[in-house]
C-alpha cells in the first residue's frame, strides 16, 4: 500500500512539473520564433478596398469616447459605418457618440451582460445593410493611422478574422505598472508574432479585430464569458476560420488609472482566462489530439498558457517541491521537468525583455518582479473561493 501511495505521489508531482514545462517551453518557442530574421511579414493585399463597418461596444464610456471615435473616423470613407453600441448605459454615452456623428444603437438587457452580447447586437443591427468587413474596436482604444484599412483588406482577401497588435501602456511610472505593460507586450505582441512566424494561427484579444461579413454574421458572439475574445478565437478556428495576426496594424489603450480600476480589470481578465483554461482546456486538447488537428492543438495550447505571473509562481513552487522530493526520496524525473520549465521561462523573460521591453524595465528592476507576483496571490486565491463570473466595467479614472 505504501509503495502504491509513493508511486502515486511521484506520478502526481511529475505531472505537475510537466504541466508547468509545457507552457514554459511553448512560450520560449514563441519568443525565439519572434526573433527569427528575414521572415516575410503580412502586407496589405492589392485590390479594391472593402466596405468597412466598425462596431464599438460602449458601457458608460462617455468621458473617454471622443478620442477613440476621432481616430477611427479619420480612417473611414464615405461608404463606411461607425456603429457605437451603447450597452446598458446609465450615462450620456449615446448622446456623446451621436454628437460626434457616429451611428448609435442602444441596448438594455441587464440579464445578458457583457461585451459579447453587445457585439452580437451590433452585428445584427448591421445585417440590414451588411458591410464587407466588420471591425471590432473598444471605446477606449486608439487605432493607429492606416491600421483599420490594413486589417480590413487582409481579412477580406483571406476570408479569415484578423487580429491587429493590441498594446496597453502604463498610466504611471511605477515598477508594478511597467511590469504589467511588459507582460502585455509579451502576451499580445511577442507570442502572436512568434506563432505567425512559425506559420501558425493566433488568438483574438478583444479589440482591433476584423471579420469578413460571412464570418461575423455567423460567429457565436453572444457570450457572457469574461474571456469571450479567447473563447471566440478558438471557436472560429474549430469552425475552419482561424484568426490571422497582422503585426503592422496597431491599436492601443491605457491600463486603468486607479487602484480599484486596475484590480477590477486584472481580476476580470485573469479569472476569465483561468475559467476558460480549466473549464474548456482539457476537452479542447483531447478533441484536437484525437482528431489529429495539430495546428488547432497549437492554438489551444497557446490559449492555455497561464498569465505570466501565475506561470512564474507555479513554476517556482513546483521547483521547490521537486527539489525537496529529489533530496528526500530520490525522485529526479519531476526535478528534471521542473528545472526545464524554470530554464525555459527564465530564458523567455530575459529574451523578451532584451528585444521588446528594454525601454520599460531594466534587468535590476526585473528582480523586483517577485514582489509583483506576491501582490497577485489574493486575486488567485479569490479565484478558488469566490471567482468573478459576472462582467464588471473597469473604473478607468477617479470619477
Amino acid at each position: 500500500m505504501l509503495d502504491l501511495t509513493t508511486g502515486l505521489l511521484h506520478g502526481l508531482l511529475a505531472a505537475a512539473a510537466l504541466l508547468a514545462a509545457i507552457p514554459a517551453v511553448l512560450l520560449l518557442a514563441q519568443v525565439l520564433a519572434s526573433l527569427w530574421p528575414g521572415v516575410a511579414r503580412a502586407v496589405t493585399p492589392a485590390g479594391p478596398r472593402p466596405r468597412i463597418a466598425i462596431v464599438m461596444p460602449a458601457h458608460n464610456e462617455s468621458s473617454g469616447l471622443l478620442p477613440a471615435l476621432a481616430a477611427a473616423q479619420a480612417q473611414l470613407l464615405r461608404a463606411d459605418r461607425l456603429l457605437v453600441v451603447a450597452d446598458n448605459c446609465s450615462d450620456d454615452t449615446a448622446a456623446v457618440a451621436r454628437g460626434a456623428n457616429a451611428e448609435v444603437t442602444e441596448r438594455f438587457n441587464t440579464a445578458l451582460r457583457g461585451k459579447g452580447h453587445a457585439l452580437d447586437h451590433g452585428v445584427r443591427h448591421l445585417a440590414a445593410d451588411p458591410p464587407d468587413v466588420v471591425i471590432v474596436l473598444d471605446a477606449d482604444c486608439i487605432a493607429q493611422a492606416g491600421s483599420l484599412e490594413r486589417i480590413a483588406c487582409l481579412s477580406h482577401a483571406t476570408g479569415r478574422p484578423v487580429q491587429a497588435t493590441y498594446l496597453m501602456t502604463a498610466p504611471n511610472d511605477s515598477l508594478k505598472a511597467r511590469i504589467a505593460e511588459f507582460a502585455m507586450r509579451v502576451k499580445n505582441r511577442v507570442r502572436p508574432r512568434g506563432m505567425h512566424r512559425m506559420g501558425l494561427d493566433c488568438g483574438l484579444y478583444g479589440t482591433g479585430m476584423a471579420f469578413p461579413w460571412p464570418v461575423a454574421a455567423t460567429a457565436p458572439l453572444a457570450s457572457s464569458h469574461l474571456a469571450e475574445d479567447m473563447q471566440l478565437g478558438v471557436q472560429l478556428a474549430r469552425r475552419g476560420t482561424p484568426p490571422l495576426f497582422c503585426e503592422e496594424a496597431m491599436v492601443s489603450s491605457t491600463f486603468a488609472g486607479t487602484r480599484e480600476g486596475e484590480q477590477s480589470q486584472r481580476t476580470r481578465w485573469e479569472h476569465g482566462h483561468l475559467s476558460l483554461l480549466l473549464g474548456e482546456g482539457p476537452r479542447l486538447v483531447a478533441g484536437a489530439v484525437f482528431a489529429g488537428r495539430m495546428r488547432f492543438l497549437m492554438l489551444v495550447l497557446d490559449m492555455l498558457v497561464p498569465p505570466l505571473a501565475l506561470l512564474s509562481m507555479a513554476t517556482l513552487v513546483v521547483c521547490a517541491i521537486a527539489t525537496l522530493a529529489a533530496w528526500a526520496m530520490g525522485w529526479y524525473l519531476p526535478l528534471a521537468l521542473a528545472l526545464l520549465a524554470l530554464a525555459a521561462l527564465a530564458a523567455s523573460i530575459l529574451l523578451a525583455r532584451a528585444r521588446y521591453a528594454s525601454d520599460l524595465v531594466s534587468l535590476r528592476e526585473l528582480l523586483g518582479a517577485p514582489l509583483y507576483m506576491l501582490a497577485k496571490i489574493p486575486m488567485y486565491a479569490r479565484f478558488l473561493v469566490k471567482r468573478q463570473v459576472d462582467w464588471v466595467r473597469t473604473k478607468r479614472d477617479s470619477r
Side-chain angles (χ1 to χ4, degrees):
M1 182 65 180
L2 184 61
D3 288 342
L4 179 62
T5 302
T6 301
L8 179 61
L9 291 175
H10 183 208
L12 288 174
L13 183 55
L18 181 62
L19 287 176
I22 290 174
V25 170
L26 175 58
L27 176 61
L28 178 59
Q30 291 170 331
V31 172
L32 290 173
S34 76
L35 302 176
W36 289 346
V39 179
R41 303 169 116 198
V43 296
T44 302
R49 179 187 181 281
R51 183 168 173 252
I52 297 170
I54 297 174
V55 175
M56 185 177 289
H59 173 66
N60 290 346
E61 297 284 0
S62 63
S63 62
L65 183 61
L66 291 178
L69 290 176
Q73 288 169 328
Q75 302 180 49
L76 299 182
L77 302 180
R78 184 181 296 275
D80 298 329
R81 299 168 70 179
L82 172 52
L83 175 66
V84 174
V85 181
D87 187 49
N88 287 315
C89 291
S90 58
D91 68 353
D92 59 344
T93 292
V96 169
R98 290 190 181 101
N101 297 318
E103 185 180 351
V104 177
T105 177
E106 297 185 68
R107 174 183 175 272
F108 296 96
N109 188 329
T110 56
L112 298 176
R113 296 173 56 84
K115 181 176 169 183
H117 294 290
L119 292 179
D120 180 69
H121 176 87
V123 169
R124 287 189 285 107
H125 181 86
L126 295 173
D129 181 22
D132 297 316
V133 175
V134 175
I135 293 178
V136 175
L137 191 66
D138 280 355
D140 65 330
C141 281
I142 305 301
Q144 188 178 80
S147 294
L148 301 184
E149 179 174 344
R150 184 178 292 273
I151 61 174
C153 289
L154 188 57
S155 180
H156 185 60
T158 60
R160 293 170 57 182
V162 173
Q163 173 65 59
T165 301
Y166 171 42
L167 298 180
M168 299 187 72
T169 56
N172 56 63
D173 195 46
S174 70
L175 178 59
K176 179 181 178 181
R178 286 185 283 118
I179 288 178
E181 185 174 343
F182 167 58
M184 180 63 76
R185 287 190 191 182
V186 172
K187 177 180 179 292
N188 286 8
R189 183 185 178 196
V190 179
R191 289 173 51 193
R193 174 184 168 105
M195 294 288 280
H196 180 68
R197 292 195 168 204
M198 287 189 285
L200 298 171
D201 311 311
C202 78
L204 293 175
Y205 305 132
T207 186
M209 308 180 295
F211 303 88
W213 175 253
V215 174
T218 59
L221 298 172
S223 170
S224 297
H225 201 286
L226 297 182
E228 84 288 330
D229 47 358
M230 291 184 184
Q231 186 182 57
L232 177 62
V234 170
Q235 289 172 332
L236 292 178
R238 187 162 51 186
R239 291 180 171 203
T241 52
L244 178 67
F245 184 56
C246 182
E247 184 181 5
E248 297 80 9
M250 179 82 67
V251 298
S252 62
S253 64
T254 303
F255 287 109
T258 66
R259 182 176 180 179
E260 177 188 352
E262 187 274 335
Q263 185 179 31
S264 171
Q265 190 175 60
R266 183 61 58 184
T267 299
R268 186 177 76 244
W269 289 343
E270 301 207 17
H271 282 199
H273 188 173
L274 291 175
S275 294
L276 196 62
L277 188 156
L278 297 175
E280 300 188 26
R283 176 177 56 82
L284 289 169
V285 169
V289 170
F290 289 136
R293 299 182 62 185
M294 294 299 105
R295 188 185 183 98
F296 179 62
L297 175 63
M298 292 302 297
L299 178 61
V300 172
L301 291 177
D302 173 64
M303 180 196 75
L304 298 183
V305 174
L308 197 55
L310 179 59
L311 179 59
S312 300
M313 283 191 285
T315 301
L316 290 172
V317 169
V318 170
C319 273
I321 296 174
T323 300
L324 289 174
W327 174 74
M329 305 293 293
W331 294 351
Y332 295 108
L333 176 60
L335 180 59
L337 291 172
L339 291 176
L340 172 63
L342 183 62
L345 181 60
S348 302
I349 292 173
L350 292 174
L351 287 171
R353 190 216 69 86
R355 174 62 178 83
Y356 299 101
S358 59
D359 60 318
L360 275 180
V361 288
S362 66
L363 283 173
R364 178 179 297 179
E365 288 177 323
L366 205 56
L367 296 177
L371 295 177
Y372 171 70
M373 292 189 293
L374 290 175
K376 298 181 75 171
I377 289 178
M379 180 184 65
Y380 294 129
R382 286 195 301 274
F383 177 80
L384 297 176
V385 298
K386 191 180 179 181
R387 73 179 63 175
Q388 181 173 327
V389 295
D390 296 323
W391 186 90
V392 178
R393 178 188 180 273
T394 297
K395 187 177 181 182
R396 305 188 193 283
D397 50 38
S398 58
R399 284 171 289 187

